[in-house]
């Protein structure tokens, strides 16, 4: 598709590093996408998000269609202008969140009708409506509308769900049309069943997409089962297109996914954790509410360049967190997003150098110590 | 006092403009001090506060002594370092807030014993302890410990309260000692009684302070009564020292106070209002939650240089406010602080030009229209 390209720069085992080029800028892969659910990455100015090294944000179709509304955002010039982020945005299809958040859902071949969790208004999502909403938002990477197969699902239920998603994938492709500079990604389903993953991948390749997501993971199956699927599922997807793992994850999940050939990920974890006093570091996760930080004059991580680590002590972050101060969650959100982007940068450099294995081992060793005294 | 000086640059009627010099930087007067209650101006990075033009912040002794504790802040290098603000800080004495926030208060000649509103722990404040806490915090401008006379108070009660505050003022002066580069301000009491205001001013002048506050106002007496006291009370205080009106106020209160000879003010209004969706503008206060903003593509005020007005539409601010997004209160807090500092800058320039009256008339006319469509 004109204006949207993916170029692999290096491989190390199954891991890949590369660059996605869009009219709104480049996306270095493997990429972590901060989540901007309701047209804002919570507690962050967009320029602060960019300063962490983020090349692309994720927006949630379900949330935005309900409030403030896709047509309204279109009238106001699109999501980029609305939220002050001029780089690429990927939007999900709304399919996952409508099933997890909305009330009174009814799923048919046509799509899903539901009640808004905000005001109870009756709403509808279908492949065609999802494509329309994502077009109205001005999304750079549009996700096909699918049903995220719940976990666990028995083989018959999973197959039925996957095949519905494949029919919806075709309808998404048809409704998306030809939009130079904008990409449409298909989503592989098939739960934990290799035959179904293969059937789904084949169906998606036959339709043809600009990128491919491995769907139906990070929904409660646990890391071992997720990595089990990632041992084979990404390899079923085209090598020359980006591969996206939705809703992942913890730093260790991210590393495991990259090792298995994933190029893009998103997760609310760094932002949500930041709002509850949890910080991610090279020595594992740290709860700033813990009393042991109350008198600690050291920065959280003096090797980190984020505003929290450059300007403040652990004692101050502890104080802000305990006092429920907004600056506390602003600073910890910024730190966590910086940590995630620094991790991605380290991963990309390691793949380029053919040194992902030692990088991963050293990184996991650091996390395992849990010893932030050594930061 | 060495290292702390006040210099008047121009007068216009009773209004004055000048500069306070401290080792930590200059304070342009009339000055508005944003409130950083718990070692943070809520929802703002300190560099963003500085970017609005603020020369000085206010910290609350009562809050800081309870959490994280004055001794702890001292061990961590003082309040400036703790909160990342290297310019002047004024701390209140704790006297007002202990009476309005703490539980089980007992006031004696010695001071006030009370229970912390946070954890119920028994605490004490006296002139000596307040001076000690403010020294531990590293405050640049220390306030004498006083009793803020409640309003209304009959003449006898007010006189008794004022005379207690004057005895505490002497004890504050004695306990403060000689601290080059740090200033101690006395606080005039006397409620709405001119004779008592005069007696209080005389007592304070006899003790001698680096600056003088008009106390006991903005406690429910209303604007007319407050301005009535300000018609005479500031004139009782030394002309060659800064005059501070505590806890004021709305933009119109600020203008009225400056016209009556006040040099310094503080108030939570711009920050607190920002957290509830209210914005201050040249055309009066605006509630961003109002549905009329939902589709408005214009900036809140295209003449304002704050991040909210430079980067976003009223529709976006409305959306953030309605959705309860943290960025909404970050942006509106920044806007309101910018509005207040721009107002102070306009006031200082008008006094310098001998044009405060036309400036005040035009400013009040703008507020009175309430017509933000014209912004």
């Amino acid at each position: 598709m004109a204006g949207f390209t993916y170029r692999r720069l290096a491989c190390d085992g199954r891991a890949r590093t590369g660059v996605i080029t869009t009219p709104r800028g480049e996306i270095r892969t493997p990429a972590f996408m901060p989540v901007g659910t309701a047209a804002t990455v919570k507690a962050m100015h967009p320029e602060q998000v960019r300063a962490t090294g983020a090349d692309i944000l994720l927006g949630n179709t379900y949330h935005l269609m309900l409030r403030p509304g896709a047509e309204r955002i279109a009238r106001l010039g699109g999501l980029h202008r609305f939220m002050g982020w001029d780089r690429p945005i990927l939007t999900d299809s709304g399919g996952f969140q409508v099933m997890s958040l909305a009330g009174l859902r009814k799923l048919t071949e046509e799509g899903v009708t539901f009640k808004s969790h905000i005001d109870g208004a009756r709403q509808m999502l279908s492949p065609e409506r999802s494509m329309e909403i994502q077009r109205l938002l001005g999304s750079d990477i549009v996700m096909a509308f699918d049903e995220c197969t719940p976990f666990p699902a028995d083989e018959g239920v999973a197959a039925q769900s996957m095949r519905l998603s494949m029919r919806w994938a075709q309808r998404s492709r048809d409704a998306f049309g030809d939009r130079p500079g904008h990409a449409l990604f298909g989503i592989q389903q098939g739960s934990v069943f290799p035959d179904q993953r293969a059937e789904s991948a084949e169906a998606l390749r036959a339709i043809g997409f600009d990128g491919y997501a491995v769907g139906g993971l990070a929904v409660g199956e646990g890391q071992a089962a997720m990595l089990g699927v990632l041992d084979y599922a990404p390899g079923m997807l085209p090598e020359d297109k980006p591969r996206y793992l939705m809703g992942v994850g913890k730093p260790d999940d991210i590393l495991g996914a990259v090792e298995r050939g994933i190029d893009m990920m998103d997760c609310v974890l760094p932002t949500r954790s930041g709002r509850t006093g949890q910080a991610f570091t090279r020595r594992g996760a740290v709860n700033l509410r813990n009393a042991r930080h109350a008198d600690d004059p050291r920065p959280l991580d003096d090797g980190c360049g984020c505003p929290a680590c450059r300007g403040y002590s652990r004692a101050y972050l502890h104080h802000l967190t305990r006092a429920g101060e907004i600056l506390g969650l602003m600073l910890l959100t910024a730190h966590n997003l910086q940590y995630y982007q620094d991790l991605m940068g380290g991963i990309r450099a390691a793949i380029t150098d053919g040194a992902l294995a030692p990088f991963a081992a050293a990184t996991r060793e650091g996390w395992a110590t849990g010893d932030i005294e050594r930061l």
Side-chain angles (χ1 to χ4, degrees), chain A residues 128-143:
Chain A
E128 292 76 19
R129 178 62 180 152
S130 178
M131 294 306 104
E132 182 181 25
I133 290 171
Q134 294 181 77
R135 181 183 57 73
L136 287 165
L137 296 175
S139 172
D140 302 285
I141 302 181
V142 169
M143 298 304 296

Side-chain angles (χ1 to χ4, degrees), chain A residues 234-310:
Chain A
M236 298 168 169
L237 300 170
E239 281 205 340
D240 61 346
K241 302 288 182 188
R243 299 164 180 162
Y244 166 30
L245 178 62
M246 298 182 292
V248 170
K250 293 181 189 169
D252 187 51
D253 298 328
I254 286 177
L255 196 48
V258 166
E259 289 171 324
R260 289 162 177 82
I262 293 295
D263 305 304
M264 303 165 69
M265 280 154 285
D266 76 278
C267 193
V268 296
L269 198 62
T271 42
R272 180 172 293 167
S273 296
R275 301 198 300 283
T276 61
Q278 189 175 69
F280 292 96
T281 78
R282 291 177 284 134
R283 302 294 180 192
V286 178
N287 187 342
L288 266 306
R289 295 183 62 84
N290 194 300
R292 72 184 160 128
H293 306 298
D295 285 293
D296 196 330
R298 291 173 298 173
L300 178 54
D301 180 350
D302 63 13
C304 175
C306 85
C309 293
R310 277 190 285 105

Side-chain angles (χ1 to χ4, degrees), chain A residues 1-6 20-25 27 56 77-81 86-91 131-144 172-173 175-186 208-211 241-242:
Chain A
M1 171 149 300
F4 183 91
T5 60
Y6 168 67
I20 298 169
T21 304
T22 82
R24 289 191 180 270
I27 304 157
I56 175 171
L79 183 56
H80 296 81
R81 182 165 170 189
D86 63 3
R87 290 179 173 268
I89 294 176
L90 179 148
T91 46
M131 294 306 104
E132 182 181 25
I133 290 171
Q134 294 181 77
R135 181 183 57 73
L136 287 165
L137 296 175
S139 172
D140 302 285
I141 302 181
V142 169
M143 298 304 296
S172 294
R173 175 83 269 178
F176 181 82
D178 183 30
R179 300 180 55 215
H182 298 265
L184 179 64
F185 279 27
F209 289 93
D210 305 300
K241 302 288 182 188

Side-chain angles (χ1 to χ4, degrees), chain A residues 146-151 153 155 158-159 161-163 165-166 186-205 212-219 221 225-238 244-246 262:
Chain A
D146 71 336
E147 186 196 17
C148 178
T149 307
F151 181 89
E155 209 161 341
S161 168
M162 178 272 287
R163 287 168 192 147
S165 285
M166 295 307 101
I187 303 174
Q188 181 197 45
Q189 293 290 346
S191 190
V192 294
F193 307 110
D195 289 353
Q196 293 188 26
R197 288 280 171 186
E199 178 184 333
S200 180
E202 186 52 38
L204 296 175
R205 296 175 79 133
Y212 296 84
V214 180
L217 296 179
V219 291
E221 75 281 5
M226 180 180 84
L227 295 181
V229 173
L230 292 179
D231 278 335
Y232 58 83
M236 298 168 169
L237 300 170
Y244 166 30
L245 178 62
M246 298 182 292
I262 293 295

Side-chain angles (χ1 to χ4, degrees), chain A residues 312-330:
Chain A
Y312 307 99
S313 62
R314 296 180 194 180
Y316 185 62
L317 297 173
H318 169 80
H319 164 67
L320 293 177
T321 303
R322 279 291 183 99
E325 284 290 346
I326 293 166
L327 181 60
L329 46 95
M330 291 161 60

